[in-house]
Amino acid sequence: MSLTGSLMVIATQILNPFIEQHCLFSWRSLLLKAAAVYYLVPMHFIRLIYLELQHLLIPKLPAESETIIINRNRAAMLFSDVKKIMNIPGKVYLAVTAVWLIAAFFLLVKYIYQYRKYMVLISREFPRVSDTDLFALSESLKKEIKLSIRIRLYTDPWRKDAFTIGILCPIIVLPANMDKEKLRLILLHELIHIKNKDALVRGITLLILSLHWFNPIVYLFFKMINESNEICCDDKVAKVLEKKECQKYCELIVEMATNKQQHNLFVSPIESNYKVLKRRLIYLRNEKRVTKTMKYLTSFISVLLIFCCSLNVFAYGEPIKVMSINGQPGFIEEQLECFAYSDIAFAEKGVCLPFEQNGRILFEEQFIDEDGNIYEADKSVAGTCAHTSTVDGTYQRHEGHKDGSCTIENYSARRCTECGTVFVGNLISETNFPKCIH
């Protein structure tokens, strides 16, 4: 998720010179919103869609089963009817995930608390607008831009700029003692923000900041999407205003930019820094309109970017299903415990054992003592040994098959320390590999 969204943001940033040259800021806003979707929605289901399309275009050929080796440096968890075991990298991964979730939770709680605190501060400390003319102006502008949502108006005696806050019941805070003509332009700007649902977009970007706090690209994304929202808002304001009013609107933006007021993360202020201000003014004065050719080109680039950035869904690995491990419960538990610190060999649609044991097939028939030493075994001479000195261990028989599969059988056994004769006892386990890795 974080990588996919970041790739989209980086691609948009690379396209910025082209976007500014052709005044395609609305297109940039759409690309950034697509990045927001990538940041929030797990794209594993896209992998399934791509695989289905691949199977439609290219018939699936029968393939041999492959054995997958999970070494001890790769995080993994083994599920069995007996128990669930996680290896050491898996425990590290779980700890890192816990740290990420705790930090994300506290950031999200912090943002929600600050938002509620600021909303309460406005409703308690800021005087509500009682001017009937201003209310009438607000209702007139709402009808002009076809906005029907209920809006509350407040004034701030200490500020010289305006801002909007709130999603379900938005609040516009206006500067006090400002002439009606400027108030009309400010109101129109803030009402366009509300119509564009920019407060909701800002809230979603804050959620993304909370979830992806470790990713520096997300902070660039936050800055870019806020700038795009301002420019898109300017564009819609300019379409409502006449040419002379548009000139006054540009002057108002410059005036608001000179007010070095500090804003929190939840408001959508009219002011901007110098570079953003310059881009906004150039865009407002530029009378270029997007041609059909440019629309087709941007549509093609959008589809290409969305497709290319989604290709990393193939990095998702499918869980490896282990059918069964046959044998005595005590032996199975011992093998599962080895998973915590050993390499494991997984056979697709087959079974598994620690790779250290599976990979050390030195002889077709061998004896492994309790210290892990391996000796070639021949149980056919067991009746000729008369010695009494033996060591306990495991007799292991490996049998390869013509189809490339193999079987490993493990028996309890004893080995004579003098002549090497192996005495085989009961079957402990039987493991079948669809493809022999030995």
Side-chain angles (χ1 to χ4, degrees):
M1 291 165 59
S2 196
L3 175 61
T4 309
S6 297
L7 287 174
M8 198 73 178
V9 173
I10 292 168
T12 307
Q13 182 70 8
I14 291 170
L15 288 169
N16 253 343
F18 174 75
I19 290 169
E20 292 180 11
Q21 182 182 353
H22 298 279
C23 297
L24 300 170
F25 294 101
S26 298
W27 178 51
R28 183 176 70 170
S29 179
L30 289 174
L31 291 179
L32 292 171
K33 286 171 183 175
V37 173
Y38 278 142
Y39 275 125
L40 288 174
V41 182
M43 293 294 165
H44 182 63
F45 69 92
I46 291 182
R47 183 177 187 272
L48 302 177
I49 295 172
Y50 287 162
L51 288 175
E52 287 299 321
L53 289 173
Q54 180 186 343
H55 295 160
L56 287 174
L57 298 173
I58 305 171
K60 189 175 181 181
L61 298 174
E64 293 184 359
S65 297
E66 293 185 1
T67 299
I68 301 170
I69 307 301
I70 302 216
N71 70 38
R72 66 196 73 186
N73 297 321
R74 179 178 173 185
M77 180 179 286
L78 181 62
F79 292 89
S80 165
D81 293 337
V82 181
K83 60 172 69 175
K84 301 176 184 68
I85 300 290
M86 182 178 289
N87 64 2
I88 293 172
K91 292 175 182 177
V92 173
Y93 178 81
L94 188 63
V96 171
T97 303
V99 170
W100 163 65
L101 285 174
I102 291 169
F105 173 77
F106 278 106
L107 276 173
L108 190 59
V109 169
K110 174 188 170 185
Y111 291 147
I112 293 171
Y113 172 75
Q114 288 179 344
Y115 172 77
R116 293 294 306 160
K117 182 179 178 182
Y118 201 62
M119 290 290 281
V120 170
L121 175 68
I122 291 172
S123 61
R124 288 181 180 176
E125 302 295 332
F126 290 9
R128 196 158 183 176
V129 171
S130 56
D131 189 340
T132 54
D133 292 339
L134 194 54
F135 272 115
L137 177 61
S138 173
E139 292 301 315
S140 172
L141 290 173
K142 282 168 63 177
K143 287 180 182 178
E144 190 174 354
I145 64 173
K146 298 178 181 178
L147 180 66
S148 58
I149 192 170
R150 179 175 171 270
I151 296 165
R152 290 177 290 171
L153 297 177
Y154 288 83
T155 56
D156 185 349
W158 300 283
R159 302 185 75 97
K160 295 183 179 180
D161 61 351
F163 62 86
T164 298
I165 187 171
I167 298 172
L168 297 177
C169 189
I171 292 173
I172 298 176
V173 178
L174 299 168
N177 304 319
M178 183 171 280
D179 64 74
K180 296 290 173 119
E181 188 176 1
K182 288 182 180 179
L183 277 177
R184 178 178 179 273
L185 296 176
I186 290 175
L187 260 177
L188 180 60
H189 177 93
E190 299 304 330
L191 289 171
I192 293 290
H193 268 309
I194 294 169
K195 186 174 181 180
N196 290 348
K197 304 224 174 1
D198 288 338
L200 176 62
V201 173
R202 184 177 287 265
I204 291 171
T205 54
L206 287 174
L207 174 61
I208 292 170
L209 277 179
S210 301
L211 293 175
H212 302 270
W213 54 267
F214 55 89
N215 185 351
I217 302 296
V218 169
Y219 300 92
L220 173 64
F221 162 75
F222 183 74
K223 179 182 176 183
M224 288 173 65
I225 201 166
N226 287 333
E227 179 188 337
S228 293
N229 288 342
E230 286 297 320
I231 294 177
C232 290
C233 180
D234 292 338
D235 179 48
K236 292 187 178 180
V237 169
K239 288 176 181 177
V240 174
L241 300 176
E242 296 179 358
K243 196 168 184 179
K244 288 183 179 179
E245 289 179 314
C246 193
Q247 177 64 34
K248 291 179 181 179
Y249 179 70
C250 291
E251 292 172 2
L252 180 62
I253 290 176
V254 175
E255 182 183 333
M256 294 297 101
T258 59
N259 298 321
K260 302 295 182 180
Q261 304 281 357
Q262 189 173 0
H263 297 279
N264 62 40
L265 292 170
F266 314 102
V267 304
S268 179
I270 199 170
E271 59 88 18
S272 295
N273 62 43
Y274 171 75
K275 289 182 180 179
V276 178
L277 174 66
K278 183 179 178 182
R279 279 194 285 269
R280 290 173 67 181
L281 293 176
I282 289 172
Y283 182 66
L284 282 168
R285 291 175 180 276
N286 199 320
E287 296 185 358
K288 279 186 179 180
R289 287 295 174 261
V290 181
T291 61
K292 273 190 176 182
T293 305
M294 192 59 65
K295 286 180 180 178
Y296 291 138
L297 179 61
T298 53
S299 299
F300 172 75
I301 294 173
S302 300
V303 172
L304 185 64
L305 281 177
I306 290 169
F307 173 72
C308 291
C309 291
S310 67
L311 287 179
N312 67 357
V313 296
F314 287 102
Y316 288 107
E318 289 295 329
I320 302 165
K321 296 180 181 178
V322 179
M323 288 178 64
S324 63
I325 303 176
N326 302 319
Q328 298 175 2
F331 180 83
I332 295 172
E333 289 193 25
E334 181 184 341
Q335 302 308 315
L336 291 175
E337 292 292 346
C338 290
F339 175 74
Y341 53 84
S342 300
D343 294 344
I344 300 292
F346 285 94
E348 186 182 350
K349 295 182 180 178
V351 294
C352 74
L353 277 176
F355 180 62
E356 289 180 350
Q357 189 177 65
N358 289 325
R360 296 178 63 194
I361 303 296
L362 305 182
F363 310 101
E364 290 301 303
E365 296 184 51
Q366 60 187 26
F367 177 84
I368 306 171
D369 67 19
E370 292 176 340
D371 295 326
N373 299 312
I374 299 175
Y375 305 92
E376 187 173 9
D378 183 5
K379 68 179 189 302
S380 63
V381 297
T384 63
C385 176
H387 305 114
T388 57
S389 177
T390 60
V391 292
D392 294 329
T394 303
Y395 167 76
Q396 192 172 76
R397 186 169 71 89
H398 173 261
E399 182 182 356
H401 306 298
K402 290 181 180 179
D403 61 356
S405 63
C406 70
T407 301
I408 295 178
E409 294 176 348
N410 291 280
Y411 296 83
S412 60
R414 293 180 296 111
R415 180 178 181 273
C416 178
T417 57
E418 296 186 32
C419 65
T421 299
V422 176
F423 302 90
V424 179
N426 298 324
L427 176 69
I428 298 174
S429 69
E430 179 181 323
T431 307
N432 302 296
F433 288 91
K435 183 178 180 181
C436 181
I437 62 169
H438 311 103

